[in-house]
Amino acid sequence: MSRPSAWHRTALDRIPGGRDGRRMLVVSIIDKTGTGLWAGCTALYFTYVSGLSLAQVGLLMTVSGGVGIAGAPLAGLLADRFPLVRVIVATQLMRGAGLLALLTTDQFLLLTLYSALGALPDRAGSVLIKLYAARQAGSDRVRYQAIQRTTVNLGWSLGGVGAAAALASGSDRAYTYLLAGNVVSYLIVAVLTLRCAEPPAPTRIAAAAGDTPRPKPTGPWRDRTFLGYTATDGVLFLHDTILQVAVPLWIVHATAAPIGLAPLLLVLNTVLVVLFQVPLARFGATTRAARRLLVPLSGLFVTGTLALAASATGGRAFAITALAVAVAALTFAEIIHTTSSWELSVALSPADAQGAYLGFHGLAQSTQRFAGPLLVTGVMTAGPLAWPLLGLALVAAGAAQHRLIRHRVEQPTPPPLSVTTVTVSER
């Protein structure tokens, strides 16, 4: 029995962030398992349980998505002023309350209001966990983030399987049970988060011995380099919408591939992320290395979009092969971009305003989630040749970002500030 115990301790020791870092990983997997139960059937709940029309469901989700954009910057500002753990717990409880409120009414306006209010803490959650990881894991933050993304994908998969099993019953009541299951998951993670210690205050130590200097903390809205970085990163995050929205629709409307291929490609995406996110994280473990990842990222975007265009030009077997190549290329683009974006967004944020900066950077992903579906559906409407054009636009965004942050990354590094144990609330 001693050998398994020793192996177990060694495996745990390899996870950065210590005991509290491991607890937050447990929080992430439970959180995403609950989210996986609900996310795939949200629109169906509003249709079959609340009785909304298709137009009403679309408007409700558009409004809540637009309101949710403000969640990330608000969370960042709060995290700079209050204890981070308490802010995380507050958002978890608010997410649960917002979902629970949906059970109290079938009125369109109230459902829209509750969904919009729930979207604010929902979009804030990823930024706050990112802040916690950056402060708790320190110079090992890139590896920690890779492990965290792996647990998130496992959680999504478990939740998706649970949702599929529940919906197989054919009962409308299953939607209510799935919503309630997500609410319970928020209560559980709130309790677990309260057991996590407040992480140390942010310092000027970068991922590798002060790899990049910190700008004077004037605020992200006045930092033109960070503004440009966030804008270009929002474009690069389009891999998410392409994989989640465009690929299934493209299969149905433009290729000879069977409809059943769509969930299989989603499984392929999840498996590749679980297998390669942690191993590939070492290529972005420093700020300069993270910037260099923007070069292969461009090649993956070109490959993925060309393969999508090609999938519409052949028969069934050719379409299946081309779509598999496209999803594989775009999944590796997702892995590489996530690694690069994680390190660069933290490294470019001044220590004294880390929450505000990372909250502002959260606008990149939340805005893309709001506007991305409209963009990719426009690309699909234009036809296969529009995919390579989108690929070139993504390459241009990556090249612009690579050049934009060069001076911030390559400046001589001043001596790093000493690490302090003072929490955010004590400054």
Side-chain angles (χ1 to χ4, degrees), residues 172-247:
D172 289 350
R173 189 171 295 180
Y175 299 105
T176 302
Y177 291 151
L178 292 172
L179 185 155
N182 196 13
V183 172
V184 171
S185 74
Y186 290 138
L187 295 176
I188 294 173
V189 297
V191 172
L192 291 176
T193 303
L194 283 173
R195 299 184 61 192
C196 295
E198 185 71 16
T203 71
R204 286 191 177 182
I205 297 178
D211 213 7
T212 186
R214 296 292 192 255
K216 185 178 179 180
T218 57
W221 297 95
R222 298 181 181 181
D223 188 333
R224 286 182 291 180
T225 297
F226 201 82
L227 280 170
Y229 167 73
T230 300
T232 54
D233 225 31
V235 177
L236 297 179
F237 269 117
L238 275 172
H239 55 69
D240 182 58
T241 298
I242 296 173
L243 286 167
Q244 301 297 326
V245 178
V247 169

Side-chain angles (χ1 to χ4, degrees), residues 292-376:
R292 288 196 295 269
L293 286 179
L294 294 171
V295 176
L297 177 64
S298 296
L300 290 167
F301 277 135
V302 170
T303 301
T305 51
L306 284 175
L308 282 174
S311 67
T313 63
R316 180 186 179 99
F318 181 81
I320 292 173
T321 302
L323 287 165
V325 170
V327 169
L330 291 169
T331 299
F332 279 106
E334 173 190 351
I335 293 170
I336 288 177
H337 175 241
T338 302
T339 299
S340 173
S341 177
W342 168 266
E343 169 56 26
L344 291 175
S345 61
V346 175
L348 295 174
S349 302
D352 292 339
Q354 194 178 66
Y357 269 69
L358 292 184
F360 180 82
H361 178 259
L363 289 173
Q365 193 164 14
S366 57
T367 303
Q368 182 277 140
R369 287 176 179 173
F370 177 68
L374 180 62
L375 175 62
V376 297

